[in-house]
């Protein structure tokens, strides 16, 4: 489906709310034996689970880790979420509505959104479907308005069609005309302002104004006023200064003073607060600016900022923002009458209405909660909202209500979410070696691989080779949810795996998209809400935007859902987008992990990040090199994947170094990139974290990766230096070391298969079996069918030898 059809489909679905739950993601229930090795089990279910992007794992019934946090001591400040602002299309509608309301308010005519069929008129959709029909001028037949009404989900009778047409003409058409004509108006007014500033500057240089008393101004004789020419060209600048000398007179002391219109105005209205008892309407200068300029100062003559003429003073408006004047009939669209409220000129309206929107994000709540306080608030909210005890609300009812309010412009539901609470700061929900008051039975859970503090650094997880503790990635984050608090569409940093455990509380509802559908989701969201992504291209990386799964499914995105209950795990697979919401008060904990199969997609992610100019969490090349240097710690699968990655990295590095050398780069210098802070080794162009090499310019003092060396600056290559971590010979030696490790595995596997053959000779077989078992331990061969068979055969052979020895002794 192309972008325009995706957007049309999204508009259709947003018109009349419906929600159909996506198909269910798989649920796995490992046996106690399978559950003993987390990474092995996840690898086992991967062929099935990665097709849906997410899955649920229900631990064996006896696995019940204690909740180890001190409930009274944990305090946190949650985020505030206005639920309907999370949804991309609803946010677009709210932003558009805000513009329309500001437009009319600044024109002195505050707008009240009309109602149709017991709902607020959807102005965003109305404009979208009128534009689809070629614009208002082309919507000149009942057939087109019937089509528009149908697209918006309204009835198609004559009254509805007239209602839509009239309100478009009344509310949206003036805004549309303003949008089309603002460029010409702003250009005209800009010239006027420049001229005005020159005039005022010239006048200020040729005239000196004496400081005078208010009394002297109020006693100005009328003949001086009459002597003034009725049509002198005076224009307001944006500073609001009208100062121009008009005449002189003597004060009571006989001093000659100069007078100005601005000073006379000050004499009339005076600075400072008004006194009690005075007529506010008469003396409020701000309100007086609503009236034609000559009412304010009948002696002055002001010109229209558009036509530059000073006639029709009765139809001249003064802007409450910049004080420029405009004829009502010169404006586009023209005003039929002087507005009652405060009025702003086109320049001021454009400045406010088209002010760039701030990046959307979540504000922090003002209140700090304990778990008990947050739970009391959360339970009360849900029971009040549904009119029953929160635990009695079915999950499908809460789910449908969540998507209803999230797609409604009118619903104003605000919730709070204790998200991304660092376990380094607060402690973990799982027991750890540093936990207080551990019971004897807790040690099992302290050491368990399913303890999220252990999983990222287990043997077989490549993240254990990262020296630093990465909060949220290698160190768990915790989440305290309430009904309707949500996590928006995102995939994990570096497209790694993630695992979430719900310690206790009400369910968490998840939606997942497999890695193969990631680009489909990105394209569908951009197509459905193009204006949102135009102003914030990296919106999906901000974790602040959600979209109805049904809209995405209609665009061909494969989506699956799951309800996670207390004591259950949810695993997400590489590049799998996921989103969801909490059904009620609950407590979850999550972390990332990366088995060897992730290494390939991890490198693809770095290439993707370079195109997006997105920062990395860590250097992928640094991780690969560290693994290669510690090859004796690698199991077979990890060694094989590391070998492939190092081959790719070495070939690419060799190619790029040769390329910059041919371009004239001769200065080279070794540097230990790992000792630099990440911000000190960023490529200026793509923002990737450099490790194997970089190019720096002596004059520009900037750094770039070799891929973007040409884009760093225009300086000659002889002024640049290549910084490298390893020379090419060292990289090849590193590659040979990992090759030797892999070949050792291959040799072991070949010899093991041969000794297990039925035709293998019996002479020396026991000794050979023992050597292979010891070698498997030394090589850290992972648990596999071949190793199991070897150990069983060795045990069997050992028993046979014992039997023979006993029989010989008997003889």
């Amino acid at each position: 489906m192309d972008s325009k059809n995706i957007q049309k489909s999204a508009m259709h679905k947003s018109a009349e709310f419906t929600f159909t739950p996506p198909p269910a993601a798989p649920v796995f229930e490992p046996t106690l034996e399978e559950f003993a090795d987390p990474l092995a089990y996840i690898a086992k279910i991967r062929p099935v689970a990665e097709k849906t992007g997410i899955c649920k794992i229900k631990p064996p019934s006896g696995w019940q880790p204690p909740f180890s946090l001190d409930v009274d001591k944990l305090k946190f400040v949650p985020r505030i979420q206005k639920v309907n602002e999370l949804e991309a299309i609803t946010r677009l509608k709210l932003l558009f509505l805000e513009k329309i309301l500001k437009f009319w308010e600044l024109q002195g005519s505050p707008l009240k959104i009309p109602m149709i069929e017991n709902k607020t008129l959807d102005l965003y959709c109305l404009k979208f479907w009128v534009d689809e029909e070629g614009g208002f001028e082309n919507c000149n037949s009942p057939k087109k308005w019937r089509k528009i009404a149908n697209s918006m989900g309204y009835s198609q009778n004559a009254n509805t069609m007239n209602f839509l047409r009239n309100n478009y003409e009344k509310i949206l058409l003036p805004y549309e005309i303003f949008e089309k004509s603002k460029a010409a108006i702003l250009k005209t007014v800009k010239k006027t302002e420049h001229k005005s500033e020159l005039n005022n500057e010239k006048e200020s240089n040729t005239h000196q104004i004496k400081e005078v008393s208010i009394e002297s101004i109020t006693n100005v004789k009328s003949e001086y006023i009459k002597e003034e020419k009725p049509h002198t060209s005076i224009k307001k600048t944006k500073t609001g200064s009208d100062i121009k000398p008009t005449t002189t007179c003597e004060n009571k002391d006989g001093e000659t003073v100069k007078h100005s219109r601005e000073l006379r105005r000050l004499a009339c209205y005076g600075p400072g607060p008004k006194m009690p008892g005075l007529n506010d309407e008469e003396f409020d200068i701000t309100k007086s600016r609503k009236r034609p300029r000559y009412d304010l100062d009948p002696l002055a003559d002001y010109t229209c900022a558009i036509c530059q003429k000073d006639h029709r003073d009765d139809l001249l408006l003064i802007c409450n923002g910049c004080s420029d004047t405009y004829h009502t009939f010169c404006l586009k669209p023209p005003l039929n009458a002087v507005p009652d409220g405060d009025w702003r000129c086109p320049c001021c309206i454009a400045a406010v209405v088209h002010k760039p929107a701030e990046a959307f994000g979540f504000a922090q709540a003002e209140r700090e909660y304990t778990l008990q306080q947050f739970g009391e608030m959360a339970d009360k909210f849900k029971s009040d909202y549904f009119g029953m005890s929160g635990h009695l609300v079915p999950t499908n009812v809460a789910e449908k209500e969540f998507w209803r309010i999230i797609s409604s412009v009118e619903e104003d539901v605000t919730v709070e979410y204790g998200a991304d609470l660092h376990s380094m700061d607060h402690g973990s929900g799982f027991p750890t070696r540093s936990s207080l008051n551990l019971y004897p039975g807790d040690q099992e859970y302290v050491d368990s691989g399913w303890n999220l503090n252990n999983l990222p650094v287990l043997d077989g997880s490549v993240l254990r080779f990262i020296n630093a503790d990465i909060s949220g990635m290698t160190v768990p984050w915790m989440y305290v949810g309430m009904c309707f608090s949500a996590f928006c569409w995102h995939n994990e940093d570096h497209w790694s795996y993630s695992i979430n455990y719900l310690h206790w509380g009400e369910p968490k509802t998840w939606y997942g998209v497999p890695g193969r559908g990631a680009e489909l989701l990105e394209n569908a969201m951009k197509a459905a809400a193009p204006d949102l992504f135009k102003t914030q291209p990296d919106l999906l990386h901000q974790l602040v935007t959600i979209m109805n799964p049904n809209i995405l499914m209609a665009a061909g995105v494969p989506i699956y859902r799951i309800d996670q209950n207390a004591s259950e795990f949810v695993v997400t697979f590489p590049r799998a987008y996921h989103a969801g919401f909490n059904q009620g008060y609950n407590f979850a904990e999550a972390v990332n992990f990366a088995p060897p199969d992730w290494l390939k997609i991890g490198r693809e992610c770095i290439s993707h990040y370079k195109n997006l100019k997105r920062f990395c969490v860590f250097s992928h090349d640094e991780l690969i090199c560290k693994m290669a240097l510690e090859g004796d710690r690698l199991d077979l699968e990890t060694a094989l994947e590391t070998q492939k990655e190092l081959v790719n990295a070495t070939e690419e590095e060799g190619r790029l170094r040769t390329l910059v050398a041919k371009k004239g780069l001769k200065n080279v210098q070794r540097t230990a990139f790992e000792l630099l802070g990440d911000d000190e080794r960023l490529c200026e162009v793509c923002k990737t974290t450099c490790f194997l090499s970089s190019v720096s310019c002596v004059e520009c003092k900037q750094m770039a990766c070799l891929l973007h060396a040409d884009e760093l600056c225009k300086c000659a290559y002889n002024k640049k230096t290549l910084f490298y971590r390893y020379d090419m010979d060292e990289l090849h030696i590193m590659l040979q070391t990992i090759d030797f490790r892999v070949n050792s595995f291959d040799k072991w596997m070949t010899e093991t298969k041969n000794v297990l053959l039925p035709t293998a000779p019996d002479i020396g077989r026991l000794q050979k079996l023992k050597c292979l078992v010891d070698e498997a331990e030394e090589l850290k061969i992972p648990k596999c069918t071949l190793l199991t068979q070897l150990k069983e055969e060795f045990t069997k052979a050992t028993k046979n030898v014992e039997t023979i020895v006993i029989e010989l002794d008997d003889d």
Side-chain angles (χ1 to χ4, degrees), residues 4-5 8 11-12 15 125-135 138-158 160-162 164-165:
K4 180 51 72 174
N5 285 330
K8 285 183 179 179
M11 289 298 108
H12 276 299
C125 277
L126 178 58
K127 186 173 190 319
F128 177 84
W129 290 114
V130 169
D131 288 346
E132 283 299 304
E133 295 299 320
N138 292 320
C139 294
N140 46 20
S141 67
K143 182 180 178 181
K144 288 197 172 185
W145 285 104
R146 187 176 292 108
K147 186 177 177 182
I148 291 168
N150 180 54
S151 298
M152 295 182 69
Y154 300 137
S155 57
Q156 298 159 51
N157 56 51
T160 299
M161 292 188 292
N162 288 334
L164 293 176
R165 189 185 192 287

Side-chain angles (χ1 to χ4, degrees), residues 320-615:
N320 279 74
C322 66
S323 300
D324 279 346
T325 47
Y326 294 78
H327 285 121
T328 55
F329 49 82
C330 287
L331 297 167
K332 292 183 181 180
L335 294 178
N336 296 326
V338 176
D340 294 328
D342 291 347
W343 178 82
R344 297 290 192 280
C345 69
C347 294
C348 292
I349 291 174
V352 174
V353 172
H354 294 284
K355 181 180 178 182
E358 294 181 4
F360 180 78
F362 302 129
Q364 292 292 107
E366 294 180 0
R367 179 183 175 184
E368 184 180 62
Y369 289 90
T370 64
L371 276 177
Q372 183 178 345
Q373 290 168 339
F374 189 87
E376 290 170 354
M377 177 276 294
D379 288 341
K380 184 177 186 304
F381 168 85
K382 187 175 183 182
S383 59
D384 289 349
Y385 189 92
F386 288 100
M388 66 176 78
S389 175
H391 296 281
L392 299 177
V393 180
T395 54
N396 63 326
V397 171
E399 180 179 32
K400 188 170 183 179
E401 182 63 9
F402 173 77
W403 290 110
R404 187 191 70 78
I405 61 177
I406 212 168
S407 62
S408 170
V409 174
E410 298 168 301
E411 298 285 348
D412 190 15
V413 178
T414 301
V415 296
E416 297 179 5
Y417 193 15
D420 300 345
L421 305 180
H422 298 197
S423 61
M424 287 191 293
D425 298 333
H426 301 282
S428 170
F430 287 97
T432 64
R433 289 176 177 83
S434 59
S435 298
L436 301 175
N437 304 319
L438 285 176
Y439 292 97
D442 295 344
Q443 192 61 42
E444 171 195 349
Y445 301 105
V446 171
D447 300 328
S448 172
W450 292 94
N451 182 324
L452 299 195
N453 297 280
N454 302 330
L455 187 58
V457 293
L458 290 176
D459 288 347
S461 172
V462 302
L463 297 186
R464 67 196 171 106
F465 291 94
I466 297 177
N467 290 332
D469 289 333
I470 305 172
S471 185
M473 192 161 192
T474 60
V475 179
W477 277 352
M478 298 173 295
Y479 301 84
V480 188
M482 66 177 288
C483 185
F484 301 145
S485 60
F487 51 104
C488 300
W489 286 113
H490 70 286
N491 50 27
E492 299 300 316
D493 288 325
H494 290 248
W495 296 348
S496 59
Y497 288 74
S498 79
I499 184 166
N500 183 295
Y501 181 72
L502 191 62
H503 283 279
W504 45 259
E506 296 191 61
K508 188 188 291 280
T509 298
W510 294 71
Y511 305 92
V513 175
R516 62 185 167 82
E519 290 186 12
L520 285 172
L521 178 137
E522 292 165 357
N523 294 335
M525 287 190 71
K526 289 173 184 176
D531 294 339
L532 219 53
F533 285 87
K534 195 181 296 179
T535 57
Q536 206 173 345
D538 64 342
L539 188 60
L540 279 172
H541 298 148
Q542 307 306 316
L543 282 75
V544 294
T545 306
I546 205 165
M547 186 173 281
N548 191 319
N550 291 170
I551 293 174
L552 298 171
M553 291 163 72
V557 181
I559 297 184
Y560 302 86
R561 74 172 298 285
I562 210 158
D563 287 323
Q564 179 190 19
N565 300 303
S567 302
E568 294 177 343
F569 291 96
V570 165
V571 175
T572 72
F573 287 76
R575 210 185 177 183
Y577 270 96
H578 46 284
F581 71 98
N582 295 294
Q583 296 268 347
Y585 178 45
N586 58 24
F587 191 101
E589 191 165 352
V591 79
N592 293 105
F593 64 100
D597 62 76
W598 163 82
L599 285 172
K600 181 183 176 183
I601 198 167
R603 179 167 290 280
E604 292 173 8
C605 179
I606 296 301
S607 299
H608 185 71
Y609 280 6
K610 284 184 178 183
N611 293 332
L612 298 176
K613 299 182 179 180
R614 183 181 175 185
F615 296 101

Side-chain angles (χ1 to χ4, degrees), residues 27 73 126 198 250 278 305 372 409 513 620 636 639 796 801:
V27 178
K73 287 185 179 179
L126 178 58
L198 290 176
E250 292 183 356
L278 294 179
Q372 183 178 345
V409 174
V513 175
H620 192 83
L636 173 59
K796 182 180 174 183
V801 169

Side-chain angles (χ1 to χ4, degrees), residues 626-635 639 737-738 741 745:
K626 194 168 190 309
M627 291 168 67
L629 289 169
E630 300 183 31
D632 57 340
R633 295 174 58 193
L634 305 182
D635 58 45
T737 304
I738 199 73
R741 181 75 173 167
F745 284 121

Side-chain angles (χ1 to χ4, degrees), residues 135 137 173 175-184:
E137 292 180 359
L173 189 60
Y175 176 76
E176 196 175 287
I177 294 170
F178 166 76
E179 286 287 284
K180 290 177 180 177
S181 61
K182 72 179 179 188

Side-chain angles (χ1 to χ4, degrees), residues 256-318:
T256 302
V257 295
K258 296 181 180 181
H259 299 295
S260 70
R261 297 186 187 91
E262 183 68 11
L263 293 177
R264 274 200 298 278
R265 186 177 303 139
L266 288 175
C268 295
Y269 296 103
K274 298 185 287 292
M275 292 177 61
L278 294 179
N279 185 304
D280 285 352
E281 183 66 33
E282 182 180 352
F283 285 89
D284 188 347
I285 188 169
T286 304
K287 291 188 177 181
S288 298
R289 284 178 179 169
K290 301 173 200 170
R291 299 193 291 273
R293 176 69 72 103
Y294 78 93
D295 284 351
L296 196 62
D297 188 352
L299 302 178
D301 175 55
Y302 300 98
T303 59
C304 172
I306 295 176
C307 70
Q308 306 298 308
K309 295 181 181 179
D310 56 5
H311 66 305
R312 295 307 307 267
D313 284 352
D314 58 320
L315 295 178
L316 268 175
L317 297 175
I318 180 169

